[in-house]
Amino acid sequence: MQFGVFTVGDVTKDPVSGKTLTEGERIQQMVTVALKAEEIGLDVFATGEHHNPPFVPSSPTTLLGFIAAKTSKILLSTSTTLITTNDPVKIAEDYAMLQHLAEGRVDLMMGRGNTGPVYPWFGQDIRNGIHLAIENYALLRRLWREDVVSWEGKFRTPLEGFTSTPRPLDGVPPFVWHGSIRSPEIAEQAAYYGDGFFHNNIFWPADHTARLIQHYRSRFEHYGHGAADQAIVGLGGQVFMRKNSQDARSEYRPYFDHSPIYGGGPSMEETMEQTPLAVGSPQEIIDRTMTFREKFGDYQRQLFIADHAGLPLKTVLEQMDILGSEVVPVLRKEFDALRPAHVPEAPTHESLKAAAERAASFESVSPEVVGLEGTR
C-alpha cells in the first residue's frame, strides 16, 4: 500500500491571516511539502497540472525534476497529466527524461482535467475530450514501447519513422494511472491496458465512486489481466487533524468555507457526510480511511491533499507530521494485515523491470525446451 500527498497548487488568500502568497512562494511551498513527505516516510508526492489562476503547477516535469534532485526515495507522480491537451510526443519525451533523472522514481496519472477553457488554449475542442484521451494515450504507449513509430490519427499530424528520445529507463515505461471522477470510458481505458485507475473521490459520494471502480475491476478481469480484486486502484482524500475533533473542525472551518474547491457549496458537515473529507482526531481519520477498503475493496494507493485553501505552511507541516507519526503507520499495519496474498502491491519501476526481465527470459526459452519441460 502506497501512501502519499498531492497538491493542486492553488494560490489562495489565507482567510485567517489575510495573507496571499506570491506564485514564487507557493511553488517553494510545494517543494517543501514534497521534501517533508520524504522525511516522514511517505511513499508518493504528486502534483496536478493546471494552466489557469489560481493554480501554479503548469509544468509538472519541471517541478518534479527539481524535487527529484533533492530527494532519494519518494516516488514522484502527477495527480493529473493532461492527456487531452498535451502532445503525446512531448509527454513521452518529458516523462522519460524525468524518469532518467529520478532513477525510476516516476509514474503519472492521465486525466482530462476539470477546466473547460484549457482545450481551446491548446488548440483542442472539449467536445472531443474522451476521443482525445483515447487516441493520445494509444500513441503514447507506442512511443514508449516501440523504437520506431509510424502512426496516423485524427487529432495531430502523422508520424513517419519517429523515435521518441530518450527511451524509457531500462526499457520500462513509467507506470500509468488513468484518473477520472465520472467517466466510465476512462475506467474502461485503464482496464483495457491493464493500467491503474485512480478515483480522486474528494467530490463524490461513496456509491458513485464504488460503481466506477467496480466497472474498472470487472473490465480488468474481462481483458485478462487478472482477477477483479487484483486490479490496481488508487484513491484521493482530504484530511485535517488535531488532537480532538472539536479543535480540528474549528480551525479548519474558515479554510473550508473559502476553499476554491469546497467554498460556496454544502457545509463542512454535509461534505464530510457525503464525501471522504475527514476533519477530526487522528483516530477518526484512521477509522474513516479504513472504510474505503470496505466500500471499494483492497487498493494500492491512497493520496491526501496536504496543502490548499491558503493553509499556512506551518499548519501544513504539522498536518504532515501527524500523518507520518500517528496515522499512516497504523493504516499501513491495518491494510497489510487485511490484504489477501494474491492482491498485488502498487507497481514500481523495480517491480516492472523485474517483470519485463522475467518475460524476456521466458520468451528466450526455445519451443523445444518448453515442450520437453512439459513432458516431465
Side-chain angles (χ1 to χ4, degrees):
M1 184 74 171
Q2 293 177 342
F3 291 93
V5 293
F6 71 102
T7 180
V8 295
D10 60 305
V11 179
T12 304
K13 180 180 179 179
D14 183 332
V16 175
S17 71
K19 180 179 179 180
T20 302
L21 298 179
T22 66
E23 290 180 327
E25 289 171 333
R26 186 67 176 94
I27 291 167
Q28 291 299 328
Q29 186 184 79
M30 291 189 288
V31 172
T32 301
V33 168
L35 301 184
K36 183 69 171 181
E38 175 161 285
E39 175 191 321
I40 64 175
L42 297 185
D43 304 297
V44 184
F45 172 81
T47 177
E49 177 186 345
H50 300 277
H51 299 276
N52 58 294
F55 306 100
V56 295
S58 58
S59 181
T61 51
T62 304
L63 176 63
L64 295 179
F66 184 80
I67 293 169
K70 293 178 172 289
T71 56
S72 60
K73 296 179 181 179
I74 196 162
L75 196 155
L76 305 172
S77 187
T78 57
S79 52
T80 310
T81 294
L82 296 176
I83 187 63
T84 47
T85 52
N86 281 309
D87 184 346
V89 172
K90 197 71 170 74
I91 294 176
E93 296 187 334
D94 282 355
Y95 283 91
M97 176 69 78
L98 176 61
Q99 188 192 35
H100 281 271
L101 291 172
E103 299 180 323
R105 295 182 291 124
V106 172
D107 64 24
L108 62 164
M109 186 191 307
M110 301 298 175
R112 291 177 293 138
N114 57 10
T115 306
V118 73
Y119 285 82
W121 294 343
F122 289 88
Q124 299 295 349
D125 186 332
I126 192 173
R127 292 170 293 186
N128 296 325
I130 292 290
H131 301 294
L132 281 162
I134 292 170
E135 180 178 297
N136 284 353
Y137 183 62
L139 173 56
L140 175 61
R141 283 184 64 87
R142 290 190 59 192
L143 291 169
W144 274 339
R145 288 166 173 80
E146 300 175 28
D147 289 338
V148 181
V149 174
S150 295
W151 175 91
E152 185 171 353
K154 180 178 179 182
F155 297 109
R156 60 150 293 144
T157 53
L159 298 173
E160 184 65 38
F162 178 76
T163 298
S164 172
T165 59
R167 306 304 300 144
L169 177 65
D170 300 318
V172 178
F175 184 71
V176 168
W177 305 77
H178 299 260
S180 180
I181 57 176
R182 58 184 176 272
S183 301
E185 296 93 339
I186 301 303
E188 181 81 18
Q189 182 184 37
Y192 177 79
Y193 291 112
D195 294 336
F197 179 67
F198 190 95
H199 194 290
N200 191 7
N201 54 326
I202 60 174
F203 302 110
W204 293 89
D207 57 347
H208 168 87
T209 303
R211 286 194 298 271
L212 205 53
I213 290 175
Q214 183 54 43
H215 175 76
Y216 161 68
R217 289 187 184 278
S218 65
R219 300 301 287 173
F220 182 95
E221 182 172 302
H222 169 80
Y223 288 117
H225 301 297
D229 63 353
Q230 294 178 306
I232 309 300
V233 173
L235 294 172
Q238 182 160 356
V239 298
F240 189 88
M241 300 163 287
R242 287 303 184 202
K243 185 175 181 180
N244 64 69
S245 58
Q246 183 176 355
D247 288 345
R249 294 177 188 182
S250 175
E251 183 177 348
Y252 185 64
R253 190 174 302 279
Y255 295 97
F256 176 92
D257 290 343
H258 292 85
S259 164
I261 297 176
Y262 297 114
S267 69
M268 186 169 74
E269 286 73 18
E270 290 174 308
T271 302
M272 289 173 60
E273 181 180 345
Q274 297 170 11
T275 77
L277 174 67
V279 181
S281 69
Q283 187 59 52
E284 286 177 304
I285 292 346
I286 292 167
D287 294 342
R288 185 65 178 277
T289 306
M290 290 304 301
T291 67
F292 294 174
R293 180 185 179 274
E294 299 170 10
K295 295 170 182 175
F296 312 127
D298 290 290
Y299 63 110
Q300 284 77 11
R301 175 175 287 185
Q302 175 66 59
L303 300 184
F304 299 105
I305 293 181
D307 59 329
H308 94 297
L311 283 168
L313 181 59
K314 178 178 180 294
T315 301
V316 172
L317 298 180
E318 290 169 350
Q319 293 296 304
M320 295 181 69
D321 278 330
I322 299 171
L323 268 180
S325 63
E326 300 183 49
V327 175
V328 168
V330 177
L331 290 174
R332 283 193 201 282
K333 182 178 179 181
E334 294 292 332
F335 276 108
D336 287 347
L338 293 168
R339 181 187 303 277
H342 70 282
V343 174
E345 297 178 353
T348 63
H349 180 76
E350 291 307 316
S351 69
L352 295 172
K353 179 182 175 182
E357 290 172 348
R358 288 193 299 270
S361 177
F362 178 79
E363 291 174 359
S364 69
V365 177
S366 69
E368 290 80 7
V369 172
V370 173
L372 288 172
E373 290 288 339
T375 63
R376 292 181 181 178

